[in-house]
Amino acid sequence: MGHYVGKHTIYDLHYPVDAKILKKSKLALAAMIFACKESGAVVLSEYAHKFEGDGYTFVIALSESHASVHTWPEHGIMTVDIFMCGKCNSHDAMKFFVNVLTKKGHKPSSVVEFVMGRGWAQDERNSDPLKELKEMT
C-alpha cells in the first residue's frame, strides 16, 4: 500500500461583487495565519500584495507547505489554496478560516472545494493512489 504525504485543498469562495473582504487583506491574512496555527501548522513567513484597483494576494509559507489567498472583487471571488502535510489538515484550516470570516460578518454565499492527494509515497508495488484519494475525501 502507499499513501499521500500531503493533502492539497483549493477553494472558491463566492461573495457579492465588490464585497469589502475582497478588497481589504488585513482581516483575511490574520484569519489565515490563525487558521494555520490552529490546525497545527508552523508559520515561517508571509507575503502580501495589493493590486492596483482593489484585489490582493498573499501567501503564507508553512513548515508543512503553504496557504494562499487571491481575490477578484469585480467578480465576487476569493480563491484559497492550502497544502499541508504531516499531522496538519488543510480542511480543518479552511474551517477555522471561514469561521473567523463569518464571525466578522464576511460569510461567503458559497464555498466550492477541490481536494488532491499530493506526494504519492509507494510502500508496495500494488499501491492504488486513486483509492487512497477517495478515502481522503
Side-chain angles (χ1 to χ4, degrees):
M1 187 81 171
H3 65 280
Y4 287 105
V5 297
K7 183 175 180 182
H8 196 166
T9 51
I10 299 171
Y11 302 88
D12 289 345
L13 284 69
H14 298 99
Y15 287 93
V17 171
D18 290 328
K20 193 174 189 177
I21 191 65
L22 302 176
K23 298 177 181 183
K24 307 286 185 188
S25 65
K26 190 174 181 179
L27 172 61
L29 178 59
M32 184 57 77
I33 290 170
F34 170 81
C36 290
K37 289 179 178 179
E38 284 295 302
S39 65
V42 175
V43 174
L44 300 174
S45 66
E46 62 193 66
Y47 175 79
H49 177 79
K50 176 122 173 64
F51 292 105
E52 201 172 303
D54 290 325
Y56 60 85
T57 186
F58 64 76
V59 63
I60 302 167
L62 307 171
S63 288
E64 299 76 12
S65 196
H66 70 271
S68 65
V69 170
H70 311 280
T71 67
W72 290 266
E74 68 275 18
H75 298 293
I77 298 171
M78 174 187 285
T79 62
V80 178
D81 174 335
I82 307 172
F83 180 25
M84 292 182 167
C85 61
K87 294 180 181 178
C88 298
N89 185 310
S90 56
H91 185 74
D92 289 345
M94 186 61 181
K95 285 194 285 187
F96 288 122
F97 180 68
V98 171
N99 284 341
V100 170
L101 295 183
T102 299
K103 286 179 182 177
K104 295 292 186 177
H106 303 286
K107 181 179 180 179
S109 58
S110 68
V111 177
V112 179
E113 177 184 51
F114 305 90
V115 180
M116 296 175 282
R118 299 292 303 269
W120 181 252
Q122 194 158 332
D123 300 329
E124 299 178 0
R125 251 183 125 72
N126 296 324
S127 298
D128 183 358
L130 294 178
K131 181 180 177 193
E132 171 93 6
L133 181 59
K134 286 179 185 176
E135 292 171 1
M136 291 176 77
T137 57

